[in-house]
């Protein structure tokens, strides 16, 4: 067994990360945070705080100008191809094909991720069950509501069983009922699949309801990090600045 003194490996660690664009804009300015394995981590901040830039770096599209990012114990900049095998990313734009059925969408995704046929079939069944998509199998994908389309999009991204799942503002524009269903889905991704969930949001109540820990950022800097209930007292002023 694992000895009591053995810490679990961090999913992600950002060490004084800076990102400067050629235009001179500094999107990240010494950003540091850590994400534990198998937790729901929320990156909180207003638009323009640098959340999108950070997401692009963590998903290997951009490189930081300075500082380091460590993913599952490896340097991200030196191991981008390996990192891509460990992650999946759900963008704000839903990427499902409305002409294909729910199941075919998922099968198509499994081929993209090169998941072997029989394995893919079993995983897809399990995901449809876990994410309450069974009732939608008989309807055309084009008829799904925005909330259900987004749930399917996330289920598709889980076909590769990523170690870390990134989500960019997953509940933006959703009604209360859809948002609640999405939160439950993300909790089951953590609890049933053991996946680390990294999401960006600017809804404080979302972070409160869902996240094990958060990083509050503003203008490319870390304002605070930790469980939100701990931050509330000490950073009330800063949280209000958001």
């Amino acid at each position: 067994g694992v000895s009591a003194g053995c810490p679990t490996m961090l999913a992600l660690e950002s060490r004084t990360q800076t990102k400067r664009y050629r235009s001179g804009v500094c999107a990240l300015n010494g950003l540091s945070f850590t994400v534990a394995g198998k937790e729901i981590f929320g990156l909180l901040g207003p638009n323009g705080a640098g959340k999108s830039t950070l997401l692009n770096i963590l998903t290997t599209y951009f490189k930081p100008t300075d500082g380091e990012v460590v993913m599952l114990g490896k340097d991200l900049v030196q191991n981008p191809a390996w990192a891509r095998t460990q992650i999946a990313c759900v963008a704000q734009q839903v990427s499902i094909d409305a002409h294909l059925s729910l199941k075919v969408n998922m099968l198509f995704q499994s081929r993209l991720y090169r998941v072997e046929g029989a394995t893919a079939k079993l995983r897809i069944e399990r995901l449809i069950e876990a994410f309450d998509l069974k009732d939608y199998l008989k309807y055309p994908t084009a008829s799904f509501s925005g909330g259900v389309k987004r749930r399917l999009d996330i289920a598709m991204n889980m076909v590769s069983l990523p170690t870390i799942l990134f989500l960019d503002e997953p509940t933006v524009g959703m009604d209360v009922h859809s948002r609640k269903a999405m939160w439950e889905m993300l909790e089951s991704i953590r609890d049933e699949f053991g996946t680390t969930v990294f999401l960006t949001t600017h809804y404080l109540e979302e972070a409160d309801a869902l996240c094990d820990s958060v990083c509050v950022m503003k203008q490319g800097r870390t304002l605070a990090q930790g469980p939100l209930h701990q931050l509330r007292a000490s950073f009330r002023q800063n949280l209000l600045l958001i």
Side-chain angles (χ1 to χ4, degrees), residues 6-165:
C6 179
T8 48
M9 188 188 288
L10 289 174
L12 280 170
E13 189 177 1
S14 169
R15 301 174 183 161
T16 60
Q17 233 190 120
T18 300
K19 178 66 181 174
R20 265 189 279 330
Y21 291 109
R22 283 208 187 95
S23 63
V25 171
C26 185
L28 300 180
N29 192 357
L31 187 71
S32 296
F33 61 83
T34 54
V35 181
K38 302 181 185 181
E39 76 168 355
I40 298 179
F41 180 89
L43 183 70
L44 234 96
N47 290 333
K51 299 196 300 291
S52 301
T53 296
L54 177 62
L55 214 54
N56 276 320
I57 290 173
L58 297 178
T59 53
T60 75
Y61 286 107
F62 295 173
K63 289 179 177 172
T65 312
D66 278 312
E68 274 182 300
V69 191
V70 180
M71 178 181 284
L72 303 165
K74 292 191 182 188
D75 184 295
L76 187 63
V77 174
Q78 287 167 11
N79 301 280
W82 170 83
R84 286 191 279 274
T85 67
Q86 303 297 312
I87 65 175
C89 186
V90 182
Q92 278 187 36
Q93 267 60 49
V94 170
S95 62
I96 62 179
D97 188 330
H99 303 296
L100 304 177
S101 71
L102 186 155
K103 228 172 194 165
V104 173
N105 262 294
M106 292 186 77
L107 275 167
F108 186 69
Q109 191 79 354
S110 73
R111 294 203 185 114
L112 275 181
Y113 279 120
R114 298 195 177 93
V115 182
E116 189 269 319
T119 308
K121 225 171 157 178
L122 286 169
R123 267 185 208 172
I124 288 167
E125 294 301 328
R126 185 182 171 201
L127 288 162
I128 286 170
E129 190 70 49
F131 301 151
D132 252 345
L133 290 165
K134 229 186 176 131
D135 295 348
Y136 299 96
L137 286 169
K138 52 185 178 285
Y139 298 111
T141 318
S143 72
F144 294 175
S145 71
V148 174
K149 279 183 179 158
R150 191 149 309 168
R151 259 167 52 208
L152 171 56
D153 200 8
I154 294 173
M156 283 163 56
N157 277 283
M158 285 296 293
V159 169
S160 64
L161 290 188
T163 313
I164 306 173
L165 179 69

Side-chain angles (χ1 to χ4, degrees), residues 38-42 190 207 210-214 226-229:
K38 302 181 185 181
E39 76 168 355
I40 298 179
F41 180 89
R190 174 195 60 197
L210 195 57
C211 297
D212 301 301
S213 66
V214 298
L228 199 56
H229 62 87

Side-chain angles (χ1 to χ4, degrees), residues 127-226:
L127 288 162
I128 286 170
E129 190 70 49
F131 301 151
D132 252 345
L133 290 165
K134 229 186 176 131
D135 295 348
Y136 299 96
L137 286 169
K138 52 185 178 285
Y139 298 111
T141 318
S143 72
F144 294 175
S145 71
V148 174
K149 279 183 179 158
R150 191 149 309 168
R151 259 167 52 208
L152 171 56
D153 200 8
I154 294 173
M156 283 163 56
N157 277 283
M158 285 296 293
V159 169
S160 64
L161 290 188
T163 313
I164 306 173
L165 179 69
F166 292 96
L167 300 127
D168 192 10
E169 309 216 345
T171 65
V172 85
M174 277 188 191
D175 60 61
V176 175
H177 174 76
S178 303
R179 187 169 289 177
K180 202 116 184 70
M182 177 60 75
W183 291 351
E184 283 167 14
M185 182 174 179
L186 297 179
E187 283 168 344
S188 74
I189 287 173
R190 174 195 60 197
D191 300 341
E192 286 182 48
F193 293 87
T195 302
T196 302
V197 178
F198 184 108
L199 65 103
T200 67
T201 182
H202 53 248
Y203 300 125
L204 201 54
E205 80 276 14
E206 177 154 279
D208 222 359
L210 195 57
C211 297
D212 301 301
S213 66
V214 298
C215 172
V216 183
M217 68 183 287
K218 194 182 179 195
Q219 293 170 334
R221 295 175 187 270
T222 314
L223 281 184
Q225 188 191 339

